[in-house]
Amino acid sequence: MASSEEIQTLILTTLDAQGSIENTNTLRSAGGDPIPYLAVVGVLNSLASKEMLTYTTIEKDHYNLTDEGNEIADSGSHEAKVFNAVDAVEGISIAELAKLFGASAKIGQGKAFRNKWIKKDGEKLVREVDSIVDQTQQDALEIRKNGTHSSAATLKDLQSRKLIEKVKLISYKVTKGPKFSLTIEKQATDLTADMLADGSWKTQTFKKYNFAGNPPEGGHLHPLMKVREEFRKIFFELGFEEMPTNKYVESSFWNFDALFQPQQHPARDAHDTFFLLDPATSSNFQDMEYVNRVKEVHSHGGYGSIGYGYDWKIEEAEKLILRTHTTSVSSNMLYRLAQETKASGVFKPAKFFSIDRVYRNETVDATHLAEFHQVEGVIADKNLTLGDLIGFMEVFFEKMGVPNIKFKPAFNPYTEPSMEIFSWHPGLEKWVELGNSGMFRPEMLEAMGLDPDVRVIAWGLGLERPTMIKYGLDNIRELLGHKVDLDMIQSNPACRLDKKMGKELVGKDAIDA
């Protein structure tokens, strides 16, 4: 292979003789060999830094035959081999053809049928034409010779059959620079004490330092993360502890059964929930006494309840799913609280919150996603009432900038009473649902081991809806997923929930989601 000095001399002398080099692919070493791409670009960069030349990149698509393509170029296509194997008079049986060509027999047979070269006659294949032209072989030979084909449709077809592969060939057009010369002046890389002493630095040529480049852009927070951080600040101001929510895969036990949600509930069907295939189940239950209490309260009741009266099966509880709500985390934390109370003998009130992703097997549209974020808060204390829940909701949403809220009775399997939370929206001029709330049922809490006088109030809402309202989005897919506009993320301001949510928007349509 030619050395860097030899390639430099070749490029400079060629430029001197021709004025330019239209394509570096035409360069040849003294032995007549092509110059490798990496060697050429290294020399060009070096000479360009000295302003001896300039160059532009030339990109060209080139097609190489695959192993199968080379075999077809050498010995013919699968369809031609099948045609030639079919006797002009007797034909050939399909079984015998399979013995001759193995797996390729089916490929060749299908192509030969489409080309109307052969047809089926009972259990045999017979010819429909006397002779053929193996166009596929001719195409492969043309590509082997030229690296491309005159027909774009042929290239597409051969690519789909995995007979060719496309690669990019890079070469360069080279022209003289302002300091072009046949000799290369050695440039100094450092300013030395001797140069300063004898004054030679005044005439010395120094190698340029490349300080060019665009300053890197700083990171940008996604609007969801901005609103999420505002919610976190509200929870922390109110003395809440953040729950660990890094367990996206959960057992049906913690996601459903521990919440007193029956195993026949529609939410547990495959059309609402994502079930794992491998591993499909987990039997890693640390406290079988608690599991049995859950089974008992589902099947026969307890703690003032008659239960659901069905045969509770642990096999259903062992199924692994993508969690459908962060309440699975809340149930786990409340169970831990019960165990800590049992160990210490003293109940300590607790306030937990979480903001993280949950998954539902839903059809994706402008207002629904298969994965989204849930904001959830729970407060555990003795003798809490529905009035405490309503009072706290007013404080919580006031801090969000939503002062005017009302409640409507609702049903949830694991809370009783349950309430939907609504806010009056001036832009839409109607009440808009914000979330759900309620008090966890004694069938859930007492089975965990909490005392009967311990009450837990809880509420939850989506993160996406407030974010869409805040940033004026009417399609949730523009907020989360592959349709997200990165410019929107970079240009949106910081989020502050100190205004009436949505009042800063112009018009009603921006928040009709």
Side-chain angles (χ1 to χ4, degrees):
M1 189 179 74
S3 66
S4 296
E5 291 75 13
E6 290 172 336
I7 298 172
Q8 282 182 347
T9 302
L10 175 62
I11 290 174
L12 292 175
T13 54
T14 305
L15 279 175
D16 187 53
Q18 301 178 2
S20 66
I21 301 172
E22 292 303 312
N23 195 316
T24 54
N25 277 346
T26 61
L27 295 175
R28 295 293 182 270
S29 67
D33 298 321
I35 309 297
Y37 157 75
L38 290 177
V40 171
V41 73
V43 170
L44 291 179
N45 284 332
S46 174
L47 295 176
S49 70
K50 300 177 176 66
E51 299 182 30
M52 297 177 69
L53 56 78
T54 59
Y55 66 90
T56 55
T57 303
I58 302 170
E59 289 190 0
K60 180 182 177 183
D61 290 337
H62 184 87
Y63 295 87
N64 294 324
L65 295 178
T66 62
D67 291 342
E68 186 180 359
N70 277 309
E71 183 184 344
I72 287 174
D74 292 334
S75 58
S77 66
H78 302 307
E79 53 268 33
K81 290 178 181 177
V82 166
F83 177 83
N84 292 329
V86 177
D87 186 83
V89 178
E90 299 294 332
I92 190 173
S93 69
I94 296 174
E96 187 177 349
L97 189 70
K99 288 180 182 178
L100 282 174
F101 300 116
S104 65
K106 191 172 182 179
I107 300 171
Q109 184 179 318
K111 293 290 288 187
F113 276 135
R114 284 194 289 275
N115 293 341
K116 297 186 177 179
W117 293 351
I118 62 173
K119 64 181 180 179
K120 193 174 180 184
D121 183 11
E123 293 300 316
K124 294 196 304 182
L125 300 174
V126 296
R127 292 187 179 185
E128 279 201 87
V129 295
D130 296 328
S131 63
I132 61 167
V133 174
D134 191 355
Q135 189 61 46
T136 302
Q137 184 182 33
Q138 293 182 5
D139 293 337
L141 289 170
E142 180 180 339
I143 290 170
R144 176 188 280 177
K145 179 181 178 182
N146 301 323
T148 188
H149 196 281
S150 55
S151 169
T154 298
L155 290 172
K156 184 177 180 181
D157 177 58
L158 295 180
Q159 271 190 295
S160 68
R161 294 177 63 180
K162 295 187 167 75
L163 301 181
I164 60 173
E165 294 174 332
K166 184 171 76 170
V167 295
K168 288 273 187 196
L169 292 184
I170 299 176
S171 56
Y172 302 94
K173 179 179 180 180
V174 187
T175 56
K176 292 180 180 179
K179 295 183 180 179
F180 176 79
S181 172
L182 288 175
T183 58
I184 301 173
E185 181 183 0
K186 185 174 177 61
Q187 295 177 320
T189 56
D190 295 303
L191 178 64
T192 65
D194 291 339
M195 291 179 187
L196 292 172
D198 60 21
S200 62
W201 63 270
K202 297 177 183 178
T203 56
Q204 177 66 53
T205 301
F206 291 91
K207 186 174 183 179
K208 287 186 177 181
Y209 289 95
N210 182 9
F211 294 121
N214 296 322
E217 293 188 6
H220 298 273
L221 282 177
H222 190 283
L224 273 174
M225 296 300 100
K226 295 176 185 178
V227 177
R228 176 181 181 271
E229 190 57 31
E230 286 298 306
F231 275 115
R232 291 181 78 241
K233 287 178 182 177
I234 291 173
F235 278 115
F236 286 135
E237 285 174 10
L238 295 171
F240 279 72
E241 173 188 347
E242 190 166 16
M243 294 184 281
T245 54
N246 55 350
K247 228 172 130 183
Y248 298 106
V249 173
E250 189 59 89
S251 71
S252 293
F253 179 81
W254 288 110
N255 197 86
F256 297 122
D257 295 280
L259 300 175
F260 196 56
Q261 190 159 337
Q263 294 184 337
Q264 301 87 354
H265 195 280
R268 300 179 71 152
D269 292 340
H271 65 267
D272 283 325
T273 301
F274 290 109
F275 288 87
L276 268 66
L277 293 178
D278 186 17
T281 62
S282 171
S283 56
N284 185 24
F285 297 118
Q286 302 295 326
D287 186 351
M288 286 306 299
E289 290 185 8
Y290 171 49
V291 174
N292 289 329
R293 290 197 298 271
V294 170
K295 175 181 179 179
E296 179 66 21
V297 76
H298 275 251
S299 302
H300 305 109
Y303 318 110
S305 168
I306 63 172
Y308 293 114
Y310 71 97
D311 185 17
W312 186 90
K313 298 183 183 298
I314 195 167
E315 291 80 10
E316 285 292 322
E318 290 175 345
K319 291 180 180 178
L320 292 177
I321 63 170
L322 291 179
R323 66 183 180 207
T324 62
H325 48 196
T326 51
T327 316
S328 61
V329 183
S330 301
S331 65
N332 211 308
M333 293 296 291
L334 290 170
Y335 169 75
R336 293 186 193 179
L337 177 64
Q339 299 310 298
E340 291 171 4
T341 302
K342 181 179 178 181
S344 65
V346 178
F347 170 77
K348 293 182 179 179
K351 294 192 283 188
F352 301 122
F353 83 94
S354 65
I355 309 172
D356 213 330
R357 293 197 182 198
V358 297
Y359 305 87
R360 305 273 176 86
N361 193 1
E362 294 192 6
T363 302
V364 175
D365 57 29
T367 57
H368 296 85
L369 290 174
E371 60 174 309
F372 54 95
H373 293 76
Q374 183 175 335
V375 182
E376 180 161 334
V378 296
I379 300 176
D381 203 347
K382 292 188 176 183
N383 301 316
L384 290 174
T385 66
L386 189 63
D388 293 306
L389 174 60
I390 293 173
F392 186 82
M393 289 295 92
E394 291 174 346
V395 172
F396 179 79
F397 285 101
E398 176 75 33
K399 283 184 172 289
M400 281 177 53
V402 184
N404 192 7
I405 62 173
K406 72 175 184 178
F407 303 90
K408 185 179 83 171
F411 170 76
N412 283 314
Y414 44 87
T415 56
E416 179 61 37
S418 306
M419 301 182 298
E420 291 175 344
I421 309 165
F422 291 83
S423 169
W424 176 256
H425 200 292
L428 294 176
E429 296 182 355
K430 67 177 183 179
W431 291 94
V432 177
E433 183 182 351
L434 294 179
N436 267 287
S437 64
M439 302 184 69
F440 283 137
R441 296 175 68 111
E443 296 98 322
M444 168 187 167
L445 300 178
E446 292 184 43
M448 292 177 175
L450 290 169
D451 289 339
D453 59 349
V454 173
R455 303 279 187 269
V456 178
I457 58 176
W459 65 100
L461 62 150
L463 184 63
E464 281 74 12
R465 182 179 289 274
T467 305
M468 290 170 69
I469 293 173
K470 190 69 183 176
Y471 289 96
L473 300 174
D474 58 5
N475 190 333
I476 195 170
R477 290 169 291 192
E478 296 174 6
L479 185 66
L480 191 65
H482 66 283
K483 292 188 177 181
V484 169
D485 181 2
L486 295 180
D487 289 335
M488 178 270 291
I489 295 173
Q490 295 175 2
S491 60
N492 268 319
C495 170
R496 293 184 63 192
L497 300 180
D498 54 357
K499 301 178 182 179
K500 303 290 189 295
M501 292 287 285
K503 261 198 169 183
E504 60 271 38
L505 301 178
V506 177
K508 305 177 184 179
D509 296 337
I511 49 177
D512 191 12

